[in-house]
Amino acid sequence: MIISFLISIISGAIHSGTPLLYATLSETVGERTGIVNLGLEGIMLIGAVVGFTTTVQTGNPLLGVLAAALAGGLFNMVFGFLVITRRANQLASGLALMFCGVGLSAMIGASFIGSRIQGLNEVRIPLFSDIPIVGRMFFNYDILVYSAIPVAVLVWWLMFRTRWGLGLRAVGENPTAAFAAGKNPHRLQYQALFIAGILGGIAGAHLSLAIAKTWAEWMTAGRGFIAVALVIFSKWHPLRAIAGALLFGGAISLQLQMQARGVPVSSFLLDMLPYVLSLVVLAIWSGARRHATPGSLGRVFQGTE
Amino acid sequence: MNKAFLQIGFHHQWVASAIRFVGLFVLALVFFALILLVFGKNPLRAYADIFSATLGSAYGFSEVAVKMIPLILTALAVALPSRIWLINVGGEGQLFIGALFATWGAVNFTNLPVWLLLPWIGILGFIGGGLWGAISGYLRVRGWASETISTLLMNYVAILLVNFFVFGPWKDPESANYPQSAPFPDAAILPSFFGTRIHLGIVLAIVGLILFHFVLSRTRWGLEMRAIGVNQEAARRNGISTNRYIILLMLIGGGAAGVAGMGEVSAIHGQLRPSLSPGLGYTGFLISWMAGGHPIGIVAAAFLLSVITAGGDILQMTHRIPAAGVHILMALILFVVLARPAGKKGGK
Amino acid sequence: MSEKKMNLTVKLLSVLTCLALVLTWGLPEPTAQAKLKVGIIHIGSINDAGYNQAHSEGVQIMKKNLPNVEVIQVENVPEGADAERVMENMIKQGAQLIIPASFGYLDPALRVAKKYPDVKFVHPGGYKLAPNLGTYWASTPDAFYLMGIAAGKTTKTNKAGYVVALPISFFLANINAFHLGARSVNPKMETRVVFMGTFLDAPKEATATNALLDQGVDVLGVIVDSPITVVQAAEKRGAYSIGYHYLGVQKFASKGWVSGIAFTWGELYTRFAKQVMDGTWKSEALLGNLASDFLTIAPFGPVVPPDAIKLVNETKQEFINGKKNAYQGPIKDNKGVERVKAGEFWPLTNIGKMDWLVEGVIGQPK
């Protein structure tokens, strides 16, 4: 009983947490370079719809993922133009991007609602998937789930072990100083946003190609905003984002599991669980966080940017 | 409205920026027209229909006004804290909690006469939204969470809280178990004017605007707020309690959104429902931002967005443009405004 | 801004304003040829292969049956003020019959109906009437009972699961009927319910389906706006599924399809339109049942055993002939309280007050 409960919780956390992880990574890359993107929701929707429609038309979900990633990257370039080149208010631009993403994705996806796809199916790894218990917990997923942690590591490596990443973070801390040190802040920020867009597009694609295997308007249901909170929760660190995404994904899955088990708590209170949990954790870990905030980002949050 | 106009005075600069704004708006219309053409629609006819449906008739105009009422209040909820650079994205949640408190008043004090009950639930709405905002203010003061994030997350909690009450303890026993509160007694319904749906909330919105402008430009508090806005450290060293202002402004801002919530639940719906607000809080944020936190700008931006939303129905009805089209139009307008060259960036 | 530029801008603005005015009043209005204009507002997208699409197809069939009827359709209309405005705009466009196709539109519709006593309104699932507003719905519990029979005989694990939007009494009644039907052929049957908190959230529905499947459920039913996600998720893990709202869902579950309940509003809407046109329409609370042409039982899938199909059809006749009631006592709820005494039954007209779940159903009704 306990075993099956554990299996359900963990596999649910991994499953629901994967799009959150990609989304959090996306936002982390952007925020590390000093840019807050509240339009992540829009990027994910574009990724979801492009991924879905491409898969419907080509029959190949991998092409769908690719197309979604590309679409996300390009869509974020619009945002980049506004906040980097035009120095527009980041928060308002983000919300505008979200509206655009919602509307655009609805228009693109309208004629594809109700289409069937094979989607991203689970990939069985010979030997590993057959291990009792552990096999079901960790080796029974689609490739986007398997590649989520490697991608997180890749992002970490890019940001903390390459010169490019160093420049990116320098821009995030203090663009003027970075500029004086010979970096090109604008170019770095554009590059960062492109990568962030790719990650966001993949997050959306996972929702439509792997989890739901369908397209519905606004199917991200706020997950983009949750990712923005998760970035802070994970102190802008790609590896800690894994924990955050798992926690939140786990909370979503947990409340549904609890309902399925007949736990006598109102479904609405259970629904609140993920958000309250995030708030509590945010509050508890506030101290160390202030130092972890990228310098120029602090100004965005204080409104003085 | 006239009062505010006179107080500001006919600024040449102000008119110029308004005209530039209109020019940008026209540019966005051109972009949208291109999109319409791509989808095979007639943009001229579409715009003409929007115009006539909203401004071409008294009814249309009244509907625009109905939409503007909560938007002005939620915009104020953002504009006030923004004076000291606080970012309040929680208008939605504050609106819901304001409606929640107002509903409590309406269903528990059914025996009060209208001239007592109505102000009472108005006050409750303010308290509800204010408390919700103040929580975020407190979290910010203690350094536990930036108000941007906490207000965002608390939006979700607020909506779920309303769901809980409306599905559980407050569910209307007559409503086939559908999640809504009992209908408000007549004494708790905001009256409307002239057979339109413009309700008393419009007075609150206008009063809010006037107070906002007056306090900021004519009182010592406004002066202190501006000082904080210019340089927080210096203000603090000069004895201004920034922490107090943070909590206070988040409280009053939240309260404004709460009053909007009370207006919606009392005048528009007549009972508390999960579907109370179609994103009014977020739209208010955009309006406040677009207007640079300026009262006249808030009215203008609210007017603009209300026309577009109200006109969106016509687009669907006669031109078969999907509902998403309105989102895109709004986004386009925002993009165009945002992308203007960095010459005249008016605050937040 | 320079004086010259200001002048230019003012001129430009005046030109534009004139243009706008000309366009508004100068262009000819399209002439009305239709004998009847019907307006329908949807809460969601009409391509959801579910609730909204069922209504939309209904009006399309009505249009096909009656060529001189024109349809005005608006999707994604939020409840409340927006709904009222859209309905009024439709009326201003000449609509004489309005279909506010969502439960939450009832109060807005009633307010608009009061303002326009000559316009007729028909509301699906409503519980209040007005002289010019009637309600209609198909009473689904009997149909769910039949689904329960089919599920009870098809299941291998004796566990069924339902993914439901909200714990509204209509939905609870459906689940109860399903469970009672299943229990009537399979005394070991248990039914688990998970509530979404919303009518449409595809990833959440998929996760919920998996959560139910993890509990050993092998028959999935669904009461949300779009049944595709749940049916697909069930099919993927080799479970059986029962559809709702829309017949087209069957293609998503070629192997595990049991059956489904669909709303086929076309002929009903045609009748409404005809009645409005020849002046015979009257406001009433129309409650259809298995015998009505707007409630359809979907074809059975290959997994359903033939004796189950036979029993379903026989029971269906009993319901139609009035010889059977889904909620025959004694019935206890899942907290142990007796709700229906032996020899009595819960009347279908009282469905609105059913806020409990039958014993054997695992879930929280509140």
Side-chain angles (χ1 to χ4, degrees), chain B residues 207-284:
Chain B
V207 167
L209 279 169
I210 296 177
L211 276 176
F212 175 64
H213 175 76
F214 183 75
V215 165
L216 273 171
S217 57
R218 297 285 148 116
T219 65
R220 193 190 104 209
W221 301 311
L223 201 60
E224 294 191 344
M225 283 190 259
R226 274 183 284 157
I228 301 177
V230 168
N231 188 331
Q232 205 177 13
E233 261 316 299
R236 197 177 303 145
R237 284 201 213 110
N238 268 310
I240 300 179
S241 169
T242 47
N243 285 351
R244 200 174 295 165
Y245 272 108
I246 290 178
I247 296 189
L248 190 66
L249 292 191
M250 286 303 289
L251 191 145
I252 299 180
V259 170
M262 169 258 176
E264 288 303 287
V265 77
S266 163
I268 301 291
H269 291 264
Q271 55 198 142
L272 185 62
R273 283 209 188 107
S275 55
L276 181 67
S277 162
L280 292 169
Y282 294 111
T283 316

Side-chain angles (χ1 to χ4, degrees), chain B residues 75 97 180 183 262 305 310:
Chain B
I97 300 294
Q180 52 196 32
M262 169 258 176
L305 289 181

Side-chain angles (χ1 to χ4, degrees), chain A residues 16 207 211-212 214 216 219 223 252 256, chain C residues 48 162-165 194-213 220-234:
Chain A
S16 298
L207 279 178
I211 299 189
T214 181
M219 69 186 297
R223 286 171 175 80
I252 294 179
L256 293 170
Chain C
D48 64 356
Y162 253 91
V163 177
V164 182
V194 175
F195 294 107
M196 293 290 91
T198 174
F199 278 93
L200 185 63
D201 183 340
K204 208 169 171 185
E205 290 160 22
T207 312
T209 311
N210 282 319
L212 285 167
L213 289 166
L220 263 307
V222 53
I223 308 182
V224 295
D225 271 358
S226 174
I228 307 179
T229 315
V230 171
V231 168
Q232 272 198 121

